[in-house]
């Protein structure tokens, strides 16, 4: 019998998870049952992926660097990576801003809908938590991100998935010094990391066997915990603009794959789809990273020295989907609550702050919304309206997060392919 491809198995898990979730929302006590008995399996899966993310980054980056013949190659790859990341993010913001200004989703929202959303969500604890987190981020100086990049204790940094840049910094430093001490002295450590790398790739294979079941659990949980369908429908036009923007962005990547890398977009999408489906199900680029790395190296054929650098860095700083969403959401909120703020100068401020905000967003569920607060603040959005603004978009944040994370991961994989091509 022909083996069913992994992405099909995951899609089946996803669809069944949605159906199961929908059925259980109709049953009394169904939501609680899913949370008690189904949710833990998805949580365990995400924990397993996070568990191997840090050792994988370290082993694979060290292998990538120590296999380099010439360290200057690394510098040019680093510059190309950052430039392409910035360009794709600016394109994403440009697409988002254009669509939201043309379609104007905020202009048809009824007064009544605003009141309902406000009453439903302003006091929501998760929304309030995002406001507090944004306040904390703002209280720090502009160079704080550089300070945050340098660890003072590597064990501590390895213990926190949000400290991925710290781990990358340490590993790059270690890898470069490994090259500098000469082959003979470096050999034992290099062999250790080579072997660790192989072991972790095997662990990913084993973890991925559970992916279809985990996706079932994750989706069933999302469905039973999501909001009333009426609230979601009221925000359909806004959500539609974000989705249209994200689809356009995927189209933009495909142009890059077809015309620069000269490969078929269908081939690319087929190979990368398990990572996309996991990004969709987990809403976390960081949790998806091990699978993205495995797909890009083993299935797209990108060299390790490229993928081991481009992908972990991309997961933390390149979030095209997130920046597009931030552009659309900030203008949408202004259209509804503060139309006088929609001047040209503020749209320029959105381009710059959404670029920086997407770099600063953590690769975890919901992080894009925290940084959205900072974008709104930068354009001078009235502080007292801020909780109401967030309440407006809160109900659809999770589904949009799932979609923008998929774009974030697709963007990282595309850039890895581009950098690999351009280095040849
Ligand atoms: N969940 C997104 C990610 O992990 C970040 C965000 O936009 O909230 O890529």
């Amino acid at each position: 019998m022909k083996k069913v491809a992994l992405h099909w198995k995951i899609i089946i898990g996803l669809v069944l998870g949605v159906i199961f979730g929908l059925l259980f929302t109709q049953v009394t006590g169904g939501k609680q049952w899913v949370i008690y008995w189904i949710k833990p399996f998805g949580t365990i899966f995400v924990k397993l992926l996070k568990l191997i993310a840090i050792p994988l980054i370290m082993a694979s980056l060290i292998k990538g660097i120590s296999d380099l013949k010439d360290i200057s190659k690394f510098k040019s790859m680093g510059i190309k990576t950052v430039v392409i990341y910035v360009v794709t993010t600016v394109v994403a913001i440009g697409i988002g801003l254009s669509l939201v200004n043309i379609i104007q989703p905020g202009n048809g929202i009824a007064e009544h809908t605003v009141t309902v959303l406000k009453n439903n969500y302003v006091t929501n604890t998760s929304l309030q938590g995002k406001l507090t987190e944004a306040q904390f981020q703002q209280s720090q100086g502009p160079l704080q991100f550089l300070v945050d990049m340098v660890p003072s204790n590597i064990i501590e940094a390895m213990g926190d998935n949000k400290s991925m840049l710290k781990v990358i910094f340490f590993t790059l430093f270690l890898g470069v010094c490994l090259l500098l001490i000469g082959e003979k002295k470096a050999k034992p450590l290099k062999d250790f990391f080579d072997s660790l790398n192989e072991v972790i790739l095997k662990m990913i294979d084993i973890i991925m066997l559970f992916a279809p079941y985990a996706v079932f659990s994750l989706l069933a949980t999302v469905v039973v915990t999501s909001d009333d369908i009426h609230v979601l429908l009221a925000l359909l036009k806004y959500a539609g603009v974000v989705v249209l923007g994200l689809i356009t962005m995927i189209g933009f990547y495909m142009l890059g794959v077809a015309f620069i890398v000269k490969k078929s977009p269908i081939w690319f999408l087929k190979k990368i789809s398990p990572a996309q489906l996991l990004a969709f199900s987990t809403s976390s680029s960081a949790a998806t990273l091990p699978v993205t790395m495995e797909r890009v190296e083993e299935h797209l054929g990108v060299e390790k020295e490229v993928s081991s650098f481009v992908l972990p860095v991309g997961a933390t700083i390149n979030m095209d989907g997130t920046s597009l969403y931030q552009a659309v959401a900030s203008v949408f909120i202004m259209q509804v609550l503060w139309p006088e703020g929609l001047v040209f100068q503020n749209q320029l401020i959105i381009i710059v702050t959404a670029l920086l905000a997407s770099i600063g967003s953590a690769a975890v569920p919901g992080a894009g919304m925290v940084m959205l607060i900072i974008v709104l603040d930068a354009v001078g959005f009235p502080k007292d309206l801020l909780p109401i603004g967030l309440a407006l978009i809160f109900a659809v944040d999770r589904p949009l997060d799932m979609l923008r994370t998929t774009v974030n991961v697709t963007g990282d994989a595309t850039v890895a392919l581009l950098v690999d091509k351009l280095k040849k």
Side-chain angles (χ1 to χ4, degrees), residues 130 279 282-288 314-315 318-319 321-323 325-326 358 361-370 397 400-402 404-409 412:
K130 287 186 196 301
T282 61
S283 291
S284 168
S285 322
T288 312
N318 182 51
M319 298 199 180
T322 300
S323 56
Y325 147 84
Q326 283 163 342
S358 73
S361 302
V364 296
M369 201 173 182
V370 174
D397 199 59
L400 293 184
D401 193 3
M402 296 161 81
R404 65 188 189 243
T405 309
T406 309
V407 171
N408 291 345
V409 167
D412 296 341

Side-chain angles (χ1 to χ4, degrees), residues 224-240:
V224 295
T225 52
S226 68
D227 281 280
D228 185 342
I229 190 87
H230 299 296
V231 181
L232 302 184
L233 286 178
L235 293 168
L236 210 57
K237 202 166 168 197
Y238 153 70

Side-chain angles (χ1 to χ4, degrees), residues 212-405:
Y213 310 100
V215 165
F216 171 87
S217 152
L218 290 165
L219 263 291
T221 310
V222 167
V223 172
V224 295
T225 52
S226 68
D227 281 280
D228 185 342
I229 190 87
H230 299 296
V231 181
L232 302 184
L233 286 178
L235 293 168
L236 210 57
K237 202 166 168 197
Y238 153 70
V241 174
V242 178
V243 173
L244 185 62
L246 294 175
I247 294 174
T248 313
M249 200 56 207
I250 298 268
F252 175 73
Y253 296 142
M254 293 310 103
L255 289 179
V257 171
F259 293 107
I260 303 178
V261 188
K262 302 214 168 17
K263 293 268 189 189
S264 144
I266 306 283
W267 164 84
F268 172 81
L269 289 173
K270 246 191 182 157
K271 299 281 177 192
I272 199 68
S273 56
Q276 290 175 313
L277 291 165
L278 277 196
F280 179 78
S281 314
T282 61
S283 291
S284 168
S285 322
T288 312
L289 181 64
V291 182
T292 319
M293 289 177 80
E294 194 255 354
R295 299 307 296 185
V296 168
E297 279 164 26
E298 317 238 308
H299 299 263
L300 293 179
V302 169
E303 273 185 46
K304 194 169 209 74
E305 61 192 49
V306 174
S307 61
S308 65
F309 173 75
V310 176
L311 293 174
V313 170
T316 24
I317 70 164
N318 182 51
M319 298 199 180
D320 300 340
T322 300
S323 56
L324 188 147
Y325 147 84
Q326 283 163 342
V328 176
S330 54
V331 173
F332 169 73
I333 292 173
M334 284 160 79
Q335 284 169 349
V336 180
L337 297 174
W338 192 51
E340 58 275 27
L342 278 169
V343 289
F344 182 67
Q345 184 199 350
N346 276 347
Q347 308 250 0
L348 290 182
I349 295 179
I350 292 176
I351 297 183
V352 178
T353 46
L355 172 65
L356 297 175
S358 73
I359 293 175
S361 302
V364 296
M369 201 173 182
V370 174
M371 296 314 252
L372 170 68
I373 302 172
I374 294 174
V375 175
L376 282 169
D377 205 61
V379 293
F381 189 79
K383 283 212 172 4
D384 53 325
L385 293 181
L386 211 51
I388 307 176
L390 295 187
L392 276 186
I393 56 163
F394 198 73
V396 279
D397 199 59
R398 179 68 191 206
L400 293 184
D401 193 3
M402 296 161 81
L403 292 167
R404 65 188 189 243
T405 309

Side-chain angles (χ1 to χ4, degrees), residues 7-23 211-220 223 277 280-281:
H7 61 271
W8 283 118
K9 288 189 191 161
I10 300 180
I11 290 174
I12 294 171
L14 198 145
V15 173
L16 290 180
V18 173
I19 297 173
F20 189 85
L22 286 174
L23 286 178
Y213 310 100
V215 165
F216 171 87
S217 152
L218 290 165
L219 263 291
V223 172
L277 291 165
F280 179 78
S281 314

Side-chain angles (χ1 to χ4, degrees), residues 93-128:
I93 300 171
I95 293 175
L97 277 184
S98 312
L99 291 176
V100 73
N101 280 300
I102 296 169
I103 303 175
Q104 309 222 343
N107 286 355
I109 293 264
E111 195 70 31
H112 162 76
T113 313
V114 176
T115 318
V116 171
L117 292 170
K118 188 173 129 191
N119 294 344
N120 277 3
Y121 299 105
V122 165
T123 50
N124 182 292
T125 42
S126 154
L127 189 152
Q128 290 297 333

